[in-house]
């Protein structure tokens, strides 16, 4: 389901129940399009996320950790000036549109109380966050500034008078009666008549109407949400988030106590990958160029290797021409000779300008050239293939590491020479544990490498020889160490599940995972970080179950 007006309605109700009357104690802008307001309410600090991301725009309470950037953005500095310690008076939705207003009252330096509205417009790539001075109706600041030449409908700069987005002139479904749905037959008809109803919601309402049930009763469930859920849609098997049960068009796979926790779970990987992409865009672009060149080089090398198969034919031509030299007439363009190895006739092309002896030597020369090129081609193939595997493992790791692990990957690339080391001033080295830590349900520790340098350190230095090593089969992924010489079957399955989750196969099912004792693993001299060879492994099929992985996480080691 999209974050439509119906979901917005439910979310506004949840925010009013939880945060109304609270005080803003902290304001952060961890990423360009995202804002975090820490609100002290009912003796608890809660994080309110306002996102104007073009794909993941939303408003919610979040439990995810965020860090402040070293240099605060202009927008967050404006907010800190005007609404630090402001009281949240109310959350209001504009009709049933995807526009949420947060009414705030704040004191200035003189102690005078001023009224502000924080407005978030959840409108895909046009999403935005505003701070509006209610006394003047002017925009104090906004997260995305849009200049007049790019928007002729309304001003979107500090100091402009705030105007609402273009009105849809549709009916609010929360004011509708059963009669208002009588003539509606399709999902398209419903969206045409009512404001803020997305494709998924309209499909469910159409199904309800066809089944003879009352759509107004279904809509009323949004006023007191009790079953936020993650579900798969029957039509396309796509995973979505839903504030209430869509019994006709989805199959629920999990329930959550709040809408905030539902969205945290749904956006966990999507938002993480997007934030990592923001931080590593230039790096991944560079690595992708190198990777493309390497793959092209491998194709050329394989083509050259394929061409060497003709060298034995050249050697045979040289032998036959030398043996039957007296039969060759100078100036001939070809000659038919009997191959004395199999008694078959062979037609050999000749250079008419060469003597018979020079023709034979020409074939011997081509034979030796191809023969001498094979070791070089094989060496280059090995080096280039190793680099491709390494770069693919680095790019894959960016799909499953946490945002705080990106620095380690950047450091790895600097040490490997793929990116230049940035000149930095003196800084304190953070003491950190190597890898991500887990504990199986039977109490055995499991450690996961978060980059290739950590993978090497875990496998080749820290792990004992009788510990067990896990890795997805033939797919980029983390090294996983199960710290036991005689693990039980349940622990093996759980360690394999963790290995499948921390790999490029995270979104797959029935992932093959190899495991064996560390004593059977070795690292070739000069091999890229993270590359090892092994033999005698056992392979197990598992599903990358995120719920199980989170359950096994060792929070004491965080």
């Amino acid at each position: 389901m999209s974050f439509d007006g119906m979901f917005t309605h439910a979310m506004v109700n949840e925010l009013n129940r939880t945060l109304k009357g609270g005080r803003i104690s902290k304001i952060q802008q961890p990423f360009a399009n995202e804002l975090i307001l820490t609100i002290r309410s009912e003796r608890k600090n809660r994080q309110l996320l306002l996102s104007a991301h073009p794909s993941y725009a939303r408003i919610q309470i979040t439990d995810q950790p965020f860090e402040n950037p070293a240099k605060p953005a202009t927008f967050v500095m404006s907010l800190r000036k005007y609404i630090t310690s402001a009281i949240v008076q109310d959350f209001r939705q504009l009709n049933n549109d995807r526009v949420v207003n947060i009414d705030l009252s704040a004191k200035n330096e003189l102690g005078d109380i001023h009224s502000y509205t924080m407005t978030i417009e959840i409108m895909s790539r046009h999403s935005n966050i505003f701070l509006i001075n209610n006394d003047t109706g002017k925009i104090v600041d906004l997260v995305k500034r849009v200049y007049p030449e790019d928007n002729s409908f309304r001003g979107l700069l500090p100091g402009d008078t705030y105007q609402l987005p273009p009105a849809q002139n549709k009916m609010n479904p929360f004011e509708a009666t059963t009669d208002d749905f009588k003539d509606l037959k399709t999902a398209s008809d419903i969206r045409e008549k009512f404001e803020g109803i997305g494709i998924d919601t309209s499909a469910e309402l159409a199904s309800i109407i066809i089944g003879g049930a009352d759509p107004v009763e279904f809509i009323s469930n949004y006023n007191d949400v009790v079953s936020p859920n993650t579900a798969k849609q029957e039509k396309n098997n796509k995973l979505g988030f839903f504030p209430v049960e869509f019994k006709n068009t989805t199959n629920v796979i999990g329930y959550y106590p709040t809408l905030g926790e539902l969205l945290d779970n749904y956006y966990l990987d999507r938002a993480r990958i997007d934030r990592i992409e923001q931080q590593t865009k230039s790096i991944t672009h560079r690595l992708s160029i190198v990777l493309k060149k390497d793959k092209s080089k491998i194709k050329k090398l394989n083509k050259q290797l394929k061409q060497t198969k003709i060298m034995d034919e050249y050697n045979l031509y040289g032998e036959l021409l030398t043996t039957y030299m007296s039969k060759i007439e100078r100036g001939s363009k070809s000659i038919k000779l009997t191959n004395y190895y199999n008694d078959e006739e062979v037609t050999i092309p000749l250079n008419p300008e060469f003597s018979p002896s020079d023709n034979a030597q020409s074939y011997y020369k081509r034979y030796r050239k191809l023969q001498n090129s094979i070791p070089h081609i094989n060496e280059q193939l090995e080096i280039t293939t190793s680099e491709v595997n390494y770069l693919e493992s680095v790019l894959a790791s960016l799909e499953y590491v946490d945002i705080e692990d990106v620095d380690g990957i950047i450091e790895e690339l600097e040490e490997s020479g793929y990116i230049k080391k940035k000149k930095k001033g003196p800084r304190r080295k953070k003491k950190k544990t190597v890898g991500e830590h887990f504990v199986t349900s039977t109490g055995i520790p499991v450690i996961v490498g978060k980059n290739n340098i950590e993978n090497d350190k875990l496998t080749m230095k820290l792990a004992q020889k009788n510990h067990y090593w896990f890795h997805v089969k033939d797919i980029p992924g983390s090294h996983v160490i199960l710290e036991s010489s005689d693990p039980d079957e349940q622990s093996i399955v759980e360690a394999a599940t963790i290995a499948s989750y921390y790999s490029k196969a995270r979104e797959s099912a029935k992932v093959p995972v190899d495991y064996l004792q560390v004593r059977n693993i070795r690292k070739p001299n000069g091999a890229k970080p993270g590359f090892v060879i092994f033999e005698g492994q056992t392979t197990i099929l598992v599903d990358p179950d995120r719920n199980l992985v989170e359950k096994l996480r060792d929070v004491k080691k965080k």
Side-chain angles (χ1 to χ4, degrees):
M1 177 180 179
S2 60
F3 204 113
D4 63 3
M6 302 292 286
F7 196 101
T8 305
H9 180 95
M11 180 58 76
V12 165
N13 287 341
E14 178 170 292
L15 295 176
N16 271 320
R17 288 194 301 269
T18 311
L19 299 179
K20 188 174 180 178
R23 183 186 296 272
I24 296 175
S25 60
K26 190 175 180 182
I27 304 171
Q28 301 166 264
Q29 191 179 350
F31 301 99
N33 298 322
E34 294 182 342
L35 187 72
I36 296 289
L37 304 179
T38 301
I39 299 175
R40 181 76 176 173
S41 176
E42 298 177 350
R43 299 182 181 179
K44 288 183 180 179
N45 285 331
R46 292 183 172 89
Q47 293 185 131
L48 177 64
L49 167 66
L50 290 83
S51 174
H53 189 283
S55 301
Y56 313 131
R58 64 198 187 277
I59 178 171
Q60 65 165 109
I61 296 170
T62 180
D63 292 326
Q64 296 302 310
F66 293 91
E67 289 187 12
N68 264 331
K71 185 179 179 181
T74 304
F75 182 54
V76 80
M77 292 299 289
S78 295
L79 297 182
R80 288 172 182 174
K81 178 180 178 181
Y82 291 102
I83 61 170
T84 296
S85 297
I87 302 297
V88 178
Q89 301 292 348
D90 198 12
F91 289 87
R92 295 180 291 108
Q93 180 183 15
L94 176 65
N95 300 318
N96 195 47
D97 205 350
R98 294 166 296 167
V99 177
V100 179
N101 296 311
I102 310 171
D103 294 329
L104 304 169
S105 59
K107 290 183 180 179
N108 63 13
E109 295 89 341
L110 301 175
D112 298 326
I113 296 176
H114 289 270
S115 173
Y116 297 94
T117 295
M118 177 82 75
T119 297
I120 175 169
E121 297 176 356
I122 304 167
M123 298 176 179
S124 188
R125 63 190 180 91
H126 300 295
S127 298
N128 216 328
I129 305 170
F130 304 81
L131 179 65
I132 302 158
N133 185 326
N134 291 338
D135 297 330
T136 63
K138 304 284 187 184
I139 298 171
V140 177
D141 210 342
L142 67 168
V143 78
K144 294 180 187 176
R145 299 184 180 190
V146 182
Y147 293 89
E149 56 267 26
D150 299 318
N151 188 317
S152 58
F153 177 79
R154 58 178 180 156
L156 292 171
L157 291 172
D160 287 338
T161 299
Y162 177 74
Q163 287 180 267
L164 291 171
Q168 296 183 21
N169 298 318
K170 295 181 181 180
M171 186 175 185
N172 187 338
F174 290 94
E175 297 172 357
T177 65
T178 304
D179 287 343
D180 292 317
F181 287 91
K182 270 186 178 179
D183 298 327
L184 305 179
K185 296 179 180 179
T186 67
S188 175
D189 292 339
I190 293 169
R191 292 197 302 275
E192 189 68 30
K193 181 169 183 176
F194 294 104
E195 181 182 32
I197 294 183
I199 293 173
D200 299 330
T201 312
S202 62
E204 180 70 12
L205 283 167
S207 182
I208 288 169
I209 293 168
I210 291 169
D214 188 356
V216 173
E217 186 178 332
F218 171 76
I219 290 171
S220 68
N221 293 330
Y222 282 79
N223 291 319
D224 188 20
V225 170
V226 293
S227 59
N229 64 86
T230 298
K232 283 193 174 181
Q233 294 163 301
E234 290 183 347
K235 187 175 181 180
N236 53 20
N237 208 33
K238 190 177 178 182
L239 194 66
F241 57 89
F242 302 86
V244 298
E245 283 197 56
F246 283 27
K247 294 180 179 178
N248 298 314
T249 55
T250 69
N251 294 311
V252 176
I253 60 174
Y255 291 96
Y256 297 85
T258 66
L259 293 172
E261 289 176 69
L262 166 67
L263 293 181
D264 269 351
N265 179 77
Y266 182 80
Y267 284 113
L268 184 64
D269 280 340
R270 292 164 178 81
R272 175 185 55 77
I273 290 171
D274 180 75
R275 290 165 186 154
I276 288 172
E277 283 177 351
Q278 287 181 41
Q279 286 197 5
T280 61
K281 191 173 181 180
S282 61
I283 296 170
T284 53
H285 178 66
R286 175 173 172 75
L287 295 186
S288 296
I289 291 173
V290 176
L291 190 60
K292 187 177 179 180
K293 286 181 179 177
D294 281 348
K295 287 183 175 180
S296 177
K297 184 178 179 180
I298 287 174
K299 282 184 179 179
K300 289 177 182 177
L301 289 169
N302 280 322
K303 189 176 180 181
Q304 290 174 14
L305 196 61
K306 191 176 180 181
Q307 289 172 346
T308 63
K309 291 180 180 179
I310 201 172
M311 71 179 185
D312 290 333
E313 193 173 301
Y314 290 161
N315 187 45
L316 175 65
Y317 288 174
E319 280 186 25
L320 295 177
L321 290 175
T322 303
T323 303
Y324 300 109
M325 190 82 70
S326 60
K327 293 184 178 182
I328 306 169
E329 294 182 9
R330 192 179 184 97
S332 298
K333 293 185 178 180
S334 66
I335 187 171
K336 285 187 179 181
L337 298 173
T338 302
N339 180 355
Y340 40 70
Y341 291 110
N342 56 17
D343 292 328
E344 292 180 359
E345 262 196 355
V346 178
T347 300
I348 303 175
L350 299 173
N351 188 332
E353 296 180 4
F354 286 2
S355 68
S357 177
D358 286 343
N359 269 299
Q361 290 305 312
S362 173
Y363 278 114
Y364 278 132
K365 187 177 180 180
R366 280 188 268 181
Y367 163 73
R368 285 192 294 272
K369 184 178 180 181
L370 289 174
Q371 188 182 44
N372 292 336
S373 73
I374 290 175
H376 174 73
I377 293 171
N378 283 331
E379 182 187 5
Q380 289 299 308
L381 263 176
E382 186 177 344
I383 292 170
T384 311
T385 301
S386 173
E387 184 170 64
V388 165
N389 291 335
Y390 173 70
L391 293 176
E392 285 183 339
S393 75
V394 172
L395 290 171
S397 68
L398 292 172
E399 296 178 16
Y400 57 79
V401 297
D402 293 324
I403 190 76
E404 59 267 22
D405 301 325
V406 171
D407 286 345
I409 293 175
I410 292 173
E411 196 176 309
E412 173 191 331
L413 291 170
E414 287 176 344
E415 290 183 13
S416 300
Y418 286 98
I419 56 176
K420 289 182 180 179
K421 289 186 178 181
K422 292 182 179 178
K423 291 182 180 179
K424 298 175 183 177
R427 60 180 182 182
R428 290 182 299 172
K429 287 190 175 180
K430 294 181 181 178
K431 288 186 177 180
K432 57 179 182 178
T433 57
V434 174
E436 198 77 14
H437 290 252
F438 300 83
V439 179
T440 69
S441 54
T442 56
I444 302 175
V446 179
I447 309 177
V448 179
K450 293 181 287 187
N451 56 58
N452 284 308
I453 291 175
E454 284 197 353
N455 286 337
D456 277 355
K457 195 170 184 179
L458 269 179
T459 302
M460 308 313 299
K461 294 182 179 180
L462 300 181
Q464 295 180 18
K465 296 297 182 184
N466 59 356
H467 286 167
Y468 275 79
W469 180 89
F470 292 74
H471 193 282
V472 286
K473 187 178 183 68
D474 301 328
I475 300 172
S478 292
H479 293 201
V480 174
I481 301 296
L482 178 62
E483 295 186 334
S484 171
S485 60
D486 186 25
D488 57 279
E489 189 176 335
Q490 181 66 24
S491 293
I492 289 173
V493 171
E494 290 173 353
T497 300
I498 293 169
S500 69
Y501 183 72
Y502 282 91
S503 77
K504 198 172 182 179
R506 175 178 282 197
E507 300 298 327
S508 306
K510 300 302 176 189
V511 177
V513 177
D514 291 332
Y515 70 94
L516 69 163
Q517 285 189 309
V518 174
R519 69 174 80 254
N520 297 313
I521 297 171
R522 64 187 180 89
K523 186 174 184 66
N525 291 333
K528 294 282 185 185
F531 179 79
V532 294
I533 55 177
F534 52 89
E535 57 185 17
Q537 71 274 19
T538 303
T539 304
I540 183 174
L541 290 175
V542 293
D543 290 321
D545 185 345
R546 181 166 70 191
N547 291 331
L548 174 61
V549 172
E550 292 303 321
K551 183 181 176 183
L552 299 175
R553 191 179 297 278
D554 187 358
V555 292
K556 295 178 184 177
K557 294 281 187 177
K558 286 292 281 182

